[in-house]
């Protein structure tokens, strides 16, 4: 509705969601979910932290730096939603998922061998969907009663 209303007024808005529930991995999900916000955080938080990490040589490998960058980026995104426990946990949860995914995809021989197989894509989709839904439970605040 927003894209159509903007078009009527002469504005061109980017598509902000691109079938995120069909994502076959958590990075794929964030590339499809709330695209404008995800890209802004990637460009202005994650990239800045990565440049700082590389410049200061805080990590021996780019992989460790990327994992830390994902954790910080998503923690900041959680705080951006609000300074409540469930938003902060949501950010940390997704930061951990992204960090683990990055390490898995770079180090796993299993992933490299089967990533193009149909059965692997279907399994990845199912796992991703369940992980995302659990994240939404955290986000809702119903998971934590403090």
């Amino acid at each position: 509705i927003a894209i159509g209303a903007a078009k009527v007024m002469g504005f061109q808005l980017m598509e902000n969601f691109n079938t995120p529930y069909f994502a076959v991995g958590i990075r794929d999900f964030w590339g499809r979910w709330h695209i404008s916000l995800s890209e802004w955080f990637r460009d202005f938080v994650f990239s800045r932290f990565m440049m700082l990490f590389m410049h200061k040589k805080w990590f021996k490998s780019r992989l460790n730096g990327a994992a830390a960058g994902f954790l910080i980026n998503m923690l900041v995104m959680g705080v951006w939603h609000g300074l409540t426990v469930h938003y902060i946990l949501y950010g940390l949860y997704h930061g951990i998922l992204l960090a683990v995914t990055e390490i898995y995809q770079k180090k796993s021989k299993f992933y490299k061998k089967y990533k193009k197989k149909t059965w692997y894509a279907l399994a990845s989709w199912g796992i991703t969907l369940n992980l995302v839904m659990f994240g939404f439970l955290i986000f809702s605040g119903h998971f934590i009663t403090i």
Side-chain angles (χ1 to χ4, degrees):
I1 294 174
I3 292 173
K7 247 184 192 173
V8 168
M9 293 185 281
F11 297 103
Q12 181 67 32
L13 295 180
M14 68 181 287
E15 191 170 332
N16 209 20
F17 295 89
N18 183 15
T19 59
Y21 299 121
F22 290 114
V24 293
I26 202 69
R27 287 184 71 181
D28 185 28
F29 172 79
W30 281 107
R32 296 165 174 253
W33 178 265
H34 211 319
I35 298 167
S36 59
L37 180 65
S38 298
E39 287 181 357
W40 190 91
F41 272 95
R42 181 199 64 212
D43 295 345
F44 293 101
V45 178
F46 179 80
S47 295
R48 307 290 185 210
F49 277 110
M50 287 304 296
M51 287 189 293
L52 179 66
F53 292 159
M54 299 308 287
H55 178 72
K56 299 283 185 180
K57 298 182 189 321
W58 287 347
F59 296 96
K60 291 182 180 182
S61 74
R62 285 182 172 230
L63 185 58
N64 291 340
F70 283 127
L71 283 168
I72 291 168
N73 182 64
M74 296 309 287
L75 177 62
V76 171
M77 189 182 282
V79 169
W80 178 84
H81 280 89
L83 282 174
T84 59
V85 173
H86 60 277
Y87 291 139
I88 293 168
L89 286 176
Y90 174 78
L92 284 174
Y93 172 74
H94 274 280
I96 290 167
L97 289 179
L98 286 165
V100 167
T101 298
E102 183 74 6
I103 293 165
Y104 169 72
Q105 289 179 347
K106 297 289 191 265
K107 297 278 187 179
S108 172
K109 291 177 185 173
F110 183 83
Y111 171 76
K112 291 173 185 172
K113 182 176 180 180
Y114 296 110
K115 68 182 178 180
K116 297 197 188 279
K117 302 287 185 188
T118 303
W119 68 266
Y120 189 85
L122 287 171
S124 294
W125 168 77
I127 292 167
T128 300
L129 187 61
N130 280 283
L131 291 171
V132 166
M133 290 303 134
F134 183 72
F136 287 149
L137 179 63
I138 296 170
F139 188 86
S140 74
H142 291 98
F143 181 69
I144 304 163
T145 54
I146 295 179

